[in-house]
Structures are given as C-alpha cells and as structure tokens.
Amino acid sequence: MVGYAQGFKRWLRSLLLLSLLTATGTQAGGEVDLIIDTDPGADDVVALLFALASAEQLHVRALTTVAGNVRLDKTTRNARLAREWAGRDEVPVYAGAPGPLLRTPIYAENIHGKEGISGVTVHEPEAPLAQGSAINYLIDTLRAAKPHSITLALLGPQTNLALALIQAPDITQGIKEVVVMGGAHFNGGNITPVAEFNLFADPQAAEVVLGSGVKLTYLPLDVTHKVLTSDARLEKIASLGNNAGKVVGDILNDYVKADMEHYGLPGGPVHDATVIAYLLKPELFSGRKVNMLIDSREGPTFGQTIVDWHDGLKREKNVFWVENGDAQGFFDLLTERLARLK
Ligand code: BDR
Ligand code: CA
C-alpha cells in the first residue's frame, strides 16, 4: 500500500508537471496545435497527407492557402484534394493571398506542372472551401488562442502570415512557433544561385515574419537536399496497397525527376514534408540557433537568406536553422503514416 506521504509526493509531482506543461504551452500527449499554410505543389501535397495521417500528434486546425507554386485557385483546389485523399474533409481550407506583398508574382509550373501536381489526375473536390479569408482566419484564431499555443507550418511564400501580422501585430500572443520550409545557406539556391523559391517568391513577407519576433525554425535546402528519395523508398510507399500510397508514389516519381537531373542527385528532395517530420520527430534533425537576415533588395542576391553560422557578427540569434536530417528515419516515418490512410 502506498503511504500517505508517498501518495502526497506523487500528487505534488503530477501537479508540478501539469503546471510546467501548461506554462510552456505544450499539450498533454505531445499534441501540436497546428495551422498549415501551403501552396500545393507536389511536395506540399505529400506534407499535407503526412500531417493529416498523424492526427494523434498533430491537431490540424485548418489549411490556409497562398499563391506560390501555381495560382491561388489551383493551390486551393489542390489543398482540398489533399484533404479529400486523406479522408479529412472536416479540416477547413481557407484561401489567402493571391499574390506576394510587393514583388511581381512568380510561379513554379516548370517543376510542379500546370495544375501544381503532376503524375496524378486532378478533379474538383467535393467538400467546399471555408468562408472568409485565410488572413482573417489567422487573425481571429491567433487572437483568441491561449498564449503561445499555436504552431504554424509555412510551406510556401509567407504572405498570409505577414499580412495578418501587419494588420494585427498583437496576434504573436497566440503563436508558439513558426516552422518554415525555406531559405538556403550551405546548399545555394534553387531559383537563383543564392535564393530558395519560397523566400524568392516573397522576401518582404518573410522579413515581416522574421521581424515580428516569433519563435522561428527554418528547414532550408541545406537539409532538404540531404533527405532524398531512392527507388527503394518510393517503391515502399507506392506498394502500401492504399490510395494514399499510390497517390504519393505517383506524384513523387514524377516530381523528383527534375531535381535529380538538374543537380545530379541520386534522389529528389520532398522539401515541405520535412517540416511535418520535424514537428512529429524533431530528433531526426539537427541544427543550431543563428542570426539570419533576408536580402529583399533588387539585384542578384534578391531573396537570399544570410546565415551567420559561425556567429562571427555576434548578433541576436533569431532563427533555429536545421542543417541535417536522418533520411531513412524520415522515409520510415512518412511510409508508416501514409499506411494509416485509406
Ligand atoms: C519550396 O518551393 C516550392 O516549389 C516547394 O513546394 C517548396 O515549398 C522548395 O524550394
Ligand atoms: Ca510549397
């Protein structure tokens, strides 16, 4: 029998643990309260299926869409398609900004195809779009949220969050962390020699988010170009025996070709899906806190992320920069999660 003093100690310890968890905004069971902002995009679709298959860890409140890889109407249709393929029609999809803050819009149809996803046939999904704009949704939700409780995964240009922050700077109160796919340092760029697509597509938006002081994590090309597909990895996904595995297999088999050829890589990156893996299993990744700034001046370095990796400038560290990842661990996790879907 447990003595009174021992029982009291146990009760006190659980109380302390509970108050610690509440204070840091971490929810019981390690659940992440999440909004995914996205511009699907082949790798975005994979990221969405990955996240929506992980309901016990990721409480996906909504998908918010932005123009990026293709125009907004197509990125929004593709987000609704991903939701349908995941069998998660209860998750609302809000459409956001049709173009960047200041620069002329650019798209990546050369990589993602005219529809934004290639390798599969697209159709108009059944479940409708949510009423209202993604920007208003972000403002209302983050204002009403418990302090520092909501994580945002930004998988495209950062326009929606930037617009929300410009209109309502107080919404940082609801943000726990912003996890971005974007930027490049060691790897070099993928749209110019120094710039990565999401940052190049709207560097001013990324500057607004950086300047807001929210907790920021970046998964740049430095890590995504190390987490590469292989024939065996894709074969495992494609042969899962469910629709999700077939869809992801078909999309990735087509998507990885361009990067493999262009960079001479043995496999292709699945950029945006690394953000979801980071949220689910951060121990698969490593990086360090750095000072980072974004170049938004017209010229050859437009959209570059400048990272003080060795802390030469002794400036405030404003970003956690992920630099390496366990590729096999990533694909094991992705495959295991996709197997849960229909
Ligand atoms: C990023 O750019 C987009 O084309 C992809 O979806 C990803 O978010 C990679 O540079
Ligand atoms: Ca994307």
Side-chain angles (χ1 to χ4, degrees):
M1 210 178 88
V2 183
Y4 172 77
Q6 223 177 336
F8 179 72
K9 262 194 210 157
R10 272 192 199 165
W11 173 78
L12 204 63
R13 213 180 306 135
S14 352
L15 203 68
L16 201 69
L17 193 69
L18 197 70
S19 65
L20 264 176
L21 288 175
T22 322
T24 56
T26 308
Q27 295 174 26
E31 191 185 302
V32 180
D33 207 356
L34 184 66
I35 297 171
I36 306 180
D37 190 71
T38 178
D39 66 333
D43 56 326
D44 297 76
V45 169
V46 179
L48 295 177
L49 288 170
F50 195 5
L52 293 171
S54 305
E56 83 293 0
Q57 276 174 280
L58 306 181
H59 171 231
V60 182
R61 284 180 174 243
L63 310 180
T64 55
T65 61
V66 64
N69 286 317
V70 281
R71 284 200 328 256
L72 182 68
D73 55 341
K74 291 191 176 172
T75 61
T76 306
R77 188 264 328 267
N78 294 345
R80 289 164 57 222
L81 263 178
R83 170 180 73 169
E84 184 175 287
W85 284 326
R88 295 287 310 276
D89 277 349
E90 81 284 3
V91 176
V93 177
Y94 292 90
L101 290 190
L102 297 170
R103 63 132 39 249
T104 348
I106 53 152
Y107 305 106
E109 287 172 350
N110 57 325
I111 305 287
H112 297 264
K114 261 176 64 115
E115 297 302 326
I117 342 169
S118 51
V120 286
T121 323
V122 293
H123 63 267
E124 182 60 23
E126 260 175 43
L129 188 63
Q131 293 293 311
S133 92
I135 292 103
N136 288 341
Y137 170 78
L138 287 172
I139 295 175
D140 295 346
T141 309
L142 294 169
R143 257 194 190 143
K146 284 196 200 129
H148 303 296
S149 58
I150 297 187
T151 298
L152 287 123
L154 305 187
L155 310 181
Q158 300 176 35
T159 325
N160 286 340
L161 182 58
L163 284 169
L165 284 164
I166 292 166
Q167 285 179 48
D170 59 294
I171 60 171
T172 54
Q173 81 84 29
I175 300 178
K176 180 178 177 190
E177 184 177 9
V178 177
V179 185
V180 167
M181 190 283 128
H185 176 66
F186 297 105
N187 184 86
N190 61 357
I191 180 93
T192 75
V194 293
E196 178 280 328
F197 177 81
N198 290 338
L199 270 283
F200 187 75
D202 199 346
Q204 283 89 3
E207 274 183 320
V208 171
V209 174
L210 184 66
S212 72
V214 292
K215 184 178 175 201
L216 260 176
T217 294
Y218 263 65
L219 284 101
L221 298 182
D222 302 348
V223 59
T224 65
H225 276 222
K226 289 175 185 153
V227 179
L228 302 175
T229 60
S230 68
D231 288 348
R233 287 168 180 165
L234 289 185
E235 181 47 36
K236 255 195 163 169
I237 291 174
S239 59
L240 278 172
N242 59 2
N243 186 56
K246 180 165 174 6
V247 163
V248 170
D250 289 348
I251 291 176
L252 287 182
N253 271 313
D254 207 65
Y255 174 64
V256 297
K257 282 185 207 150
D259 276 349
M260 286 172 69
E261 197 181 313
H262 185 70
Y263 299 104
L265 290 169
V270 197
H271 309 282
D272 295 336
T274 60
V275 167
I276 306 304
Y278 178 80
L279 293 171
L280 292 169
K281 223 174 175 184
E283 62 273 26
L284 291 176
F285 297 90
S286 59
R288 65 168 74 154
K289 285 201 86 178
V290 296
N291 177 268
M292 191 267 279
L293 56 93
I294 297 155
D295 193 349
S296 60
R297 298 165 305 172
E298 287 299 330
T301 53
F302 184 77
Q304 183 179 7
T305 44
I306 300 160
V307 172
D308 189 8
W309 184 253
H310 296 290
D311 198 21
L313 301 173
K314 302 274 175 267
R315 291 205 178 123
E316 183 213 351
K317 313 221 171 3
N318 51 4
V319 159
F320 184 74
W321 189 262
V322 179
E323 190 263 333
N324 210 345
D326 171 352
Q328 193 53 50
F330 167 87
F331 281 98
D332 287 346
L333 187 62
L334 175 64
T335 312
E336 181 235 300
R337 294 304 156 101
L338 293 175
R340 298 174 175 188
L341 297 174
K342 60 179 167 76

